[in-house]
Amino acid sequence: MGKWMAIIFGIVYTFVAVLGLFMDNIFGLIMVTLLIEVIHFVVAILASVVDFIGKKSISNQNAAV
């Protein structure tokens, strides 16, 4: 379940970050600033890295058995 959460989280944050590049106000909820854009891209990248590291450590554990 955890690996899917990182993938979904990364996809959603990437979508919001890209959407923020083209809109000033996302769905009337979030005022887009440079800081918010940077935070969304950093969180999306970190979620992708967590997913990649999780897959790598799981495959290493399976190889050791």
Side-chain angles (χ1 to χ4, degrees):
M1 175 86 172
K3 72 176 185 172
W4 290 108
M5 292 303 293
I7 292 170
I8 293 169
F9 196 73
I11 290 170
V12 168
Y13 262 86
T14 302
F15 174 73
V16 171
V18 170
L19 194 62
L21 292 174
F22 302 104
M23 299 175 74
D24 293 345
N25 191 351
I26 299 177
F27 305 123
L29 299 172
I30 303 170
M31 290 299 297
V32 179
T33 64
L34 179 60
L35 177 62
I36 289 176
E37 279 299 299
V38 169
I39 289 170
H40 283 141
F41 277 112
V42 168
V43 169
I45 291 168
L46 288 176
S48 300
V49 168
V50 166
D51 176 52
F52 178 73
I53 290 172
K55 287 179 183 176
K56 189 173 180 180
S57 67
I58 289 171
S59 65
N60 287 344
Q61 288 174 356
N62 290 339
V65 173

